Amino acid sequence: MIWVETIINGMLLGGLYALVGLGLGYAFGIMRIVNVAQGDFIVAAAFIGVALVPWTPISPLLVIVPVAIISFIFGIILQRLMINRVLGQDQIPQILLTFGLAIVLRNGMVELFGANSQSIDAGELRFMGFELLGLRLGVLPVLILAIALALFTLLHLWMRHTRMGRIIRATADDFEVVQLTGVNYRRVYGIAMGVAMALSAVAGVLLAMRGSFTPYSGADRLLIAFEVVVIGGLGSFWGMFLGGMLLGVTQLVALKLDPSSGLMWGHLMFLLILFVSPNGIAGLMRR
Amino acid sequence: MSLLEVENLDVRYGDFQAVNGVSLRLEEGQTVAIIGANGAGKSTLLKAISGLHPWRAGAIRFDGQDIAHQRADMITRAGMTLVPEGRRLFGSLSVEENLLMGQCSERKGPWSTDAVYKLFPRLGELRAVAGASLSGGQQQMVAIGRALMTNPKVLLCDELSLGLAPSIIGDIYRCFDTIRASGVSIVVIEQNVVQAVAAAGYAYCLLEGRVSLEGPTASLSMDAITAAYFGTGAAA
Amino acid sequence: MTDTRHKLIAASGLLATGLLIAAPHVVPEGSLRLMVEIFCVFAFAQSWNFLAGYVGLMSFGQQLFIGLGAYFVFLVSNRLALNPFWLVPLAFFFAGAFAALISPLVFRLRDAYFAISIWVIAEIVRLFIAQRDYLGSVSGLPLVATRSMDRSSVAMWTFYFAALFALLAVFGLYYLSRSRLGLALAAVRDNEATAASIGINVWWTRFVGFVIGSGFTGAAGAVYYMSVFHLEPGGAFDPNWMVIMLFIVIIGGVGTVEGPIIGTAIYFLLRAWFAGTGNLYLMLLGAAAIAVMLISSKGIWGVVRERTGIDLLGSRHLSGLGQNPKG
C-alpha cells in the first residue's frame, strides 16, 4: 500500500513537473527558442508569490493569477526588447543571451532576498488531507495536479480553436510567410513568450507551495523542465505531461529507496529514456 | 500615377548583386509578367517588393505611398501581398485555417472563404484537411486563396507553375480572369515564358539582375524574348 | 607573408615558453598560485571555445570534465600512492574516454538540448560522488601524495603544468585549427550537409572534437585542483565553472584563438576589482554577456578584427555566429 501511495504521490508531483516543462516546451515548439533562464524565472515567480500571498483574498492558491499576469507582461517585454533582436538561423546567441539573463536574475535574487530557503504559505491547505480507497492523500497536491491538467487542457483548446491560437501555430510553421498575411511575427513571439512565462510562473508558485526554494533552485527547475520536454519528445504536448508523470514517480520512488539521492534517479531516468527512444515518449508511441 | 512603381532597385543577396537597377510599373487592373531564366533575380525582386528581403538602393511606391523598408506585414496590410515560391502553406493548419490566416490583413473586400471555394471548388471539399497532406496543385490553390483572403490590390505571384502538371497550370491561370475582375492587379514571375506571355498584358524580361527587354506582350516577338531571356543576340 | 607570420608565431611561442620556465624562480609563491589559477581557467575557457566555436558543440556541462579529471588524479594518486603529476596526462585520457562514452547518447540531442544534457550528466556524477564514502562523499578528498613532497617543487611543477596547458590552449588550438582535423571540424560546424557531401564523416569528426576538448578540460581541471590540494563534489562540479567559461569566451569572442585571452584578462580584473561584492560581480558577468549578445555576438576580438582587420594569429575561424548559413 505504501508503494501505491508513493506512486500516486509521484503522479501528483509529476503533473506539476509537466507544468514546469510546459513553458519551456511551448516556447521551443513555437519559436525554436530555448530559454535557459526559465528555471530562474520560475524561482523569481515564486518570490513574487511570496510577496503577494498576504494580499490575496479567498485562498492563497489564487495568488497564481496576479503572478501569471505579471509574468505574461514580463515575457512580452523580454521577447520584444531582447530575444527578438538576436533571432536568426543560429540558436547560439539566444541561448547565451538567456544564459546571461539567468546569471543576473539568480544573483540578483540572492542579493535581494538572501540565500535562505523559503516557501509560499498555502495556509491550512497545506495540512488538509483525505482518505481515498484506503490511501491518504493531501488536498494541496491533488488541487495542484488539477490546476496543471486544467492549464494543459486550456492551452490545448486555446491553440486549436481560437484566432490567436491559429496565428501562433501558423507562425510556428513559417514565421516568414505569416507576414504575407499581415501578421507581425515579432508581436506573436512576444505573446507566445508571455504565455510560456505565465505557465512557468504558475508552476513556480505551485512548486513553492508544495516544497521550499532558494534563489539557487533555478538550476534544478531548469533541468526538470528540460527533461520533461526531452522525455515528452520535444514539443509534444501530452508527451510532456506523461514525461512529467514519469519523472515525478521516479523521483518519489527513488527517494523512498535511496533517501539521499536527490534528483539523481530522475536524471538517470532521463538518460534511460534518451537511450531507449531519442524522440521521447512521443517517439515511442509513433512506432 | 501607377499603382506600383519600382525605380532603379538594387538588391543584394549576401555578396551577390541579385537585382541591379530594375524599374517597373504596374497599372491598376493590369497583369504584368516578369520572365527570366533561373537565377535572373526574379524571386529576389518580388521578395524585395513584398518586404521580405531588404534592398539597398532605389525606390518602391505603392498606391502613391513610399514603402521604402517597410515590414512585410505592413505592406500586406496596405494591400500588396505575395504568393511565395514553393507554396509554403502552414503545414499544421487545415485548408480552411490557412485561408482564414489571410484575414489577418484586416482589409475589407470581396474575398472570403466562400469566394475562394467558388474559385477553387476542389478546396471546399478539402477544407478540413491539413495543408501538408495536399497535392502540389491543391497547395498552390490554397496559397493563392490565402493571399486573396488578404483582399489585396496587388497580388505578386512567384513561379505558380513550378513543379505542377500542365493541365493544373492551365486551371490555375484560367482563374486569373476572375481574380482580375475582382479588382486585383497582378505581377507574375515565370520561367515558363509561353504561359506568362499568354496571361499578361505587359512583360519584363530579366537577365542577370537587369531588365533586358520590356513591352506589351502583343508587340513582343518570340525571337526577341528568346534573345533577351538567354542574353544571346541583339535584344535591344 | 604567411611564412613570416608562421615564424613570428613560433618565435613568440618559444619566447613565452622561456619566460614561463623562468617564472617560478623569480616570481613569489603567492603570485605563482594566482597564475596557476589564471592559466587553468584560461584552459577551461579555451576548450569550451574550441567546442563551441570550432566543433560547433555548445555544452553547458563542461564542469563535468573538470571534476572528472580532478577526481581521477586525486583518487588514483591517493589509492596507489602515485605521484599525481604523472597522472595528469592520464586525466586527459580518462576525461576523454568518459566523453567518448556519453557521446552516443548526448549526440542524439541538438543545440540547447545537447548543452543541457551534459549538465544533467554532471549533476548525476556530482550526486553519485556525494553519496559515496569511498569517493570522499560531500566533504571531499585531500591530495595525500603532495604532503610528503617538497613544497616549492610542488608549486613549481604545478605551475609548469598549468603553463603548459595555457600554451597548448593558444598554440595547440592555433595549429589544430589549421590541421586536417581542424578543417574538417570547420566544415562540419559551418554546414553538415556540405561537409558530408565532400566525404567528411560528420558524426566521427564531431566525436573526435568533443573527446579532445573534454579531455583537455579534464587534464586542466586536475592541475587546478592539485594547486588547491583539496577536492569536493560541490566545487568540482559547480555550474559556476560554466558561468566563468561562458563569460570569458563570449566577452572575448567565440571562435577566435585570441578572444578568450582578452576574456580571461577581463574576468580576473573584474574579480579583483569587485572582490568582496559577492553576487554583484556575478551579476555583472551576466549583464556583460547579455550586452555582448545584443551588440555583437562576435565578442570583443571578433569586433576588433572586423573593424581593424588585425588578425594576430591569422586564424580566420569565425564561428557560425551571426552568419546566415543559407547565405
Side-chain angles (χ1 to χ4, degrees):
Chain A
M1 215 52 189
I2 183 86
W3 289 111
V4 178
E5 212 170 277
T6 306
I7 288 171
I8 294 204
N9 277 319
M11 290 168 75
L12 294 178
L13 178 64
L16 182 50
Y17 279 2
L19 198 55
V20 174
L22 184 59
L24 191 74
Y26 184 74
F28 179 76
I30 289 160
M31 300 173 275
R32 304 281 132 186
I33 281 174
V34 183
N35 180 2
V36 182
Q38 198 95 13
D40 296 286
F41 282 117
I42 287 177
V43 175
F47 275 113
I48 300 174
V50 170
L52 292 185
V53 149
W55 280 279
T56 310
I58 309 168
S59 160
L61 260 182
L62 289 177
V63 77
I64 58 176
V65 178
V67 177
I69 292 171
I70 293 171
S71 304
F72 177 75
I73 295 167
F74 184 79
I76 292 180
I77 294 173
L78 170 74
Q79 183 73 30
R80 303 211 64 174
L81 245 49
M82 289 192 175
I83 303 180
N84 273 347
R85 297 179 54 176
V86 296
L87 285 180
Q89 292 274 342
D90 193 346
Q91 288 201 349
I92 291 182
Q94 313 154 18
I95 295 170
L96 295 183
L97 178 82
T98 53
F99 194 91
L101 215 57
I103 299 167
V104 173
L105 210 57
R106 183 184 318 151
N107 294 291
M109 288 188 291
V110 178
E111 199 68 29
L112 278 175
F113 307 109
N116 291 338
S117 177
Q118 312 213 18
S119 81
I120 295 181
D121 188 5
E124 56 205 32
L125 264 177
R126 197 160 200 147
F127 310 106
M128 278 155 64
F130 64 97
E131 297 268 340
L132 184 79
L133 306 167
L135 298 170
R136 175 114 195 106
L137 299 174
V139 170
L140 184 64
V142 172
L143 272 177
I144 286 176
L145 176 70
I147 293 173
L149 251 177
L151 283 176
F152 262 83
T153 314
L154 269 177
L155 185 66
H156 181 86
L157 292 176
W158 182 66
M159 288 293 284
R160 282 285 132 205
H161 299 292
T162 65
R163 192 180 119 97
M164 195 62 218
R166 184 169 70 225
I167 292 175
I168 292 177
R169 278 185 293 137
T171 308
D173 278 352
D174 194 330
F175 74 90
E176 200 179 35
V177 169
V178 86
Q179 302 178 83
L180 299 174
T181 64
V183 172
N184 179 2
Y185 72 88
R186 298 164 197 84
R187 217 183 119 236
V188 177
Y189 277 4
I191 290 167
M193 187 51 89
V195 171
M197 283 294 171
L199 292 167
S200 305
V202 172
V205 169
L206 297 178
L207 269 172
M209 280 186 181
R210 277 199 65 143
S212 59
F213 67 96
T214 75
Y216 294 109
S217 304
D220 277 346
R221 307 278 201 260
L222 174 68
L223 292 184
I224 289 173
F226 154 79
E227 286 168 355
V228 165
V229 174
V230 176
I231 291 179
L234 292 185
S236 155
F237 227 60
W238 295 103
M240 273 191 273
F241 201 83
L242 292 176
M245 293 276 169
L246 183 65
L247 272 187
V249 171
T250 308
Q251 198 195 322
L252 289 198
V253 170
L255 280 180
K256 270 247 155 24
L257 296 168
D258 184 1
S260 64
S261 61
L263 291 173
M264 188 177 82
W265 290 99
H267 293 329
L268 282 170
M269 176 57 87
F270 156 77
L271 285 188
L272 180 73
I273 295 282
L274 190 58
F275 182 68
V276 177
S277 164
N279 295 320
I281 293 176
L284 271 182
M285 295 206 276
R286 245 179 269 131
R287 276 189 200 165
Chain B
M1 186 183 57
S2 307
L3 186 54
L4 174 67
E5 282 176 277
V6 175
E7 255 172 53
N8 282 322
L9 198 69
D10 278 4
V11 190
R12 277 175 171 273
Y13 211 108
D15 288 334
F16 174 65
Q17 177 116 25
V19 175
N20 200 342
V22 168
S23 301
L24 59 85
R25 26 178 83 230
L26 173 74
E27 308 296 336
E28 202 155 341
Q30 199 186 16
T31 298
V32 161
I34 302 171
I35 53 179
N38 206 358
K42 306 183 304 286
S43 277
T44 309
L45 174 63
L46 276 208
K47 277 192 167 175
I49 295 173
S50 65
L52 283 184
H53 199 290
W55 38 279
R56 269 164 31 104
I60 304 178
R61 271 184 301 279
F62 168 64
D63 209 5
Q65 300 274 328
D66 182 11
I67 54 163
H69 309 296
Q70 281 205 25
R71 294 197 318 256
D73 56 295
M74 318 243 315
I75 293 174
T76 299
R77 282 163 179 266
M80 177 160 68
T81 194
L82 169 74
V83 182
E85 186 181 354
R87 276 84 76 175
R88 289 174 72 174
L89 298 191
F90 304 119
S92 65
L93 272 59
S94 70
V95 168
E96 176 128 338
E97 286 179 319
N98 264 287
L99 295 179
L100 287 173
M101 282 303 296
Q103 288 178 345
C104 294
S105 73
E106 283 162 3
R107 291 176 57 80
K108 303 241 178 309
W111 291 100
S112 62
T113 47
D114 286 338
V116 173
Y117 293 146
K118 214 174 140 201
L119 185 68
F120 301 116
R122 190 77 187 93
L123 295 186
E125 304 157 28
L126 296 165
R127 64 177 73 193
V129 176
S133 50
L134 299 178
S135 73
Q138 293 159 352
Q139 286 193 11
Q140 192 59 275
M141 293 173 195
V142 178
I144 295 171
R146 180 178 65 189
L148 289 174
M149 290 284 288
T150 67
N151 280 306
K153 286 182 184 153
V154 172
L155 187 67
L156 309 166
C157 301
D158 194 346
E159 302 273 9
L160 294 183
S161 61
L162 200 73
L164 300 183
S167 66
I168 296 170
I169 298 173
D171 285 348
I172 285 172
Y173 273 96
R174 259 189 291 286
C175 299
F176 268 41
D177 290 333
T178 320
I179 296 173
R180 249 191 312 256
S182 76
V184 180
S185 314
I186 304 172
V187 178
V188 283
I189 284 186
E190 273 297 343
Q191 282 186 63
N192 184 336
V193 177
V194 181
Q195 191 61 258
V197 169
Y202 198 92
Y204 294 84
C205 189
L206 283 195
L207 179 70
E208 288 165 359
R210 297 171 190 274
V211 175
S212 57
L213 179 71
E214 64 167 283
T217 46
S219 71
L220 294 174
S221 76
M222 215 51 207
D223 289 345
I225 292 176
T226 311
Y229 191 101
F230 293 109
T232 54
Chain C
M1 186 63 194
T2 33
D3 201 45
T4 32
R5 172 185 268 159
H6 237 74
K7 281 180 185 150
L8 273 174
I9 289 168
S12 63
L14 282 175
L15 183 69
T17 313
L19 286 175
L20 288 170
I21 289 175
H25 304 288
V26 282
V27 176
E29 204 182 308
S31 316
L32 217 53
R33 284 189 60 170
L34 178 64
M35 284 168 80
V36 168
E37 191 187 353
I38 293 174
F39 288 155
C40 287
V41 167
F42 171 65
F44 298 156
Q46 195 68 298
S47 52
W48 190 83
N49 175 38
F50 170 66
L51 288 176
Y54 292 77
V55 188
L57 286 173
M58 189 176 47
S59 158
F60 284 165
Q62 288 313 96
Q63 72 270 25
L64 168 65
F65 300 102
I66 297 179
L68 283 175
Y71 264 96
F72 170 79
V73 169
F74 273 53
L75 279 170
V76 175
S77 164
N78 286 354
R79 279 298 150 81
L80 307 178
L82 288 175
N83 182 334
F85 290 106
W86 293 114
L87 295 169
V88 172
L90 291 180
F92 173 87
F93 291 103
F94 180 76
F98 194 91
L101 209 67
I102 62 171
S103 347
L105 213 53
V106 291
F107 277 17
R108 294 179 167 192
L109 297 170
R110 300 305 304 270
D111 299 319
Y113 291 94
F114 169 82
I116 304 179
S117 70
I118 299 179
W119 184 359
V120 168
I121 294 174
E123 281 294 290
I124 293 174
V125 175
R126 178 179 71 79
L127 289 163
F128 181 84
I129 291 176
Q131 292 170 68
R132 301 293 180 286
D133 283 334
Y134 59 90
L135 297 174
S137 77
V138 191
S139 51
L141 293 169
L143 187 58
V144 182
T146 45
R147 285 179 188 164
S148 57
M149 293 173 163
D150 173 46
R151 206 183 131 93
S152 66
S153 83
V154 168
M156 184 181 81
W157 282 107
T158 316
F159 177 83
Y160 280 155
F161 267 101
L164 173 69
F165 286 132
L167 282 174
L168 275 178
V170 177
F171 298 98
L173 182 58
Y174 168 70
Y175 285 108
L176 182 68
S177 67
R178 33 195 57 213
S179 68
R180 253 185 86 86
L181 175 65
L183 296 177
L185 285 171
V188 169
R189 176 201 66 203
D190 290 340
N191 192 326
E192 273 178 49
T194 316
S197 71
I198 56 172
I200 296 173
N201 185 332
V202 170
W203 196 94
W204 189 250
T205 307
R206 210 173 253 157
F207 171 81
V208 172
F210 183 54
V211 168
I212 293 177
S214 303
F216 191 72
T217 310
V223 173
Y224 176 85
Y225 277 98
M226 281 162 63
S227 76
V228 187
F229 304 115
H230 184 85
L231 177 62
E232 87 234 348
F237 297 100
D238 190 343
N240 271 334
W241 278 124
M242 265 333 296
V243 176
I244 297 168
M245 287 185 235
L246 272 165
F247 170 81
I248 289 174
V249 178
I250 294 174
I251 294 282
V254 64
T256 66
V257 177
E258 300 93 334
I261 303 176
I262 299 173
T264 308
I266 295 176
Y267 167 73
F268 278 97
L269 283 176
L270 280 182
R271 202 179 72 166
W273 288 335
F274 291 88
T277 60
N279 297 296
L280 218 56
Y281 118 89
L282 281 169
M283 284 173 74
L284 205 71
L285 297 192
I290 297 174
V292 168
M293 278 301 133
L294 287 178
I295 297 166
S296 166
S297 58
K298 294 187 185 87
I300 291 177
W301 189 253
V303 171
V304 167
R305 191 168 57 180
E306 218 173 54
R307 295 271 160 84
T308 62
I310 296 173
D311 195 9
L312 287 183
L313 292 178
S315 50
R316 272 191 204 82
H317 276 264
L318 257 189
S319 84
L321 286 185
Q323 296 175 342
N324 184 343
K326 228 183 122 203

